[in-house]
Amino acid sequence: MLNKISQEHMQRVIALSENNFKSGRIPIAAIIVDKDTNEVLAEAQNDDSPIGHAELLVISKALKLLKTNRLDNTHMYVTIEPCPMCAYAIAKSHVGKLYFGCEDKKGGGIINGPRIFEYENLKKIEFISHCFDDKTSKLMTDFFKIKRNQQL
């Protein structure tokens, strides 16, 4: 179960995701917070680029802000299970802890797919999954339903 602060951070991620949804973009967002102060250091939403994933964008912003190449003292919150590319970036940047919403059964890289966090040569990242699972999975389902209907 998430504590009150973690719930608030996930609700912020969901609000950012909903904004992306309303703009016709995939409803995925991420924030990085300082694990001690719970201050939001950076936030990002997916853009239309194939590498414009919220996780990569927010990691880049946080690294630049903190003038470092490690995010050990941070927590990341994401709408959906990160893909393998993003999971690898999360591990390589040493994010302290990851929270995410629904699973991505087709494209995930943590619970599903290649399970990047289990690789021996990468930092072991603690994660909490299925945060606000109903809400995050509905966002994704609704988005792709609309996209499919637009293609018909």
Side-chain angles (χ1 to χ4, degrees), residues 81 84 104-116 119:
E81 176 184 0
D104 184 348
K105 294 184 188 223
K106 293 181 181 177
I110 297 170
I111 295 173
N112 298 285
R115 299 179 183 214
I116 298 294
Y119 286 21

Side-chain angles (χ1 to χ4, degrees), residues 31-94:
I31 63 172
I32 291 182
V33 302
D34 181 290
K35 81 173 180 95
D36 296 323
T37 67
N38 289 304
E39 174 191 0
V40 175
L41 301 172
E43 56 185 41
Q45 298 152 277
N46 270 43
D47 65 25
D48 293 327
S49 163
I51 59 169
H53 292 207
E55 299 94 327
L56 299 180
L57 299 171
V58 80
I59 287 170
S60 183
K61 287 179 182 182
L63 290 172
K64 186 174 183 180
L65 175 77
L66 297 172
K67 298 179 173 121
T68 185
N69 63 357
R70 295 283 186 262
L71 297 172
D72 298 286
N73 201 42
T74 66
H75 291 172
M76 180 187 287
Y77 295 80
V78 186
T79 314
I80 188 171
E81 176 184 0
C83 72
M85 173 177 67
C86 292
Y88 190 83
I90 291 165
K92 289 300 274 187
S93 60
H94 291 219

Side-chain angles (χ1 to χ4, degrees), residues 10-29:
M10 275 305 296
Q11 288 170 339
R12 176 65 184 151
V13 165
I14 290 168
L16 290 168
S17 299
E18 290 170 340
N19 288 342
N20 242 22
F21 184 98
K22 291 172 188 167
S23 299
R25 290 190 302 272
I26 192 163
I28 299 176

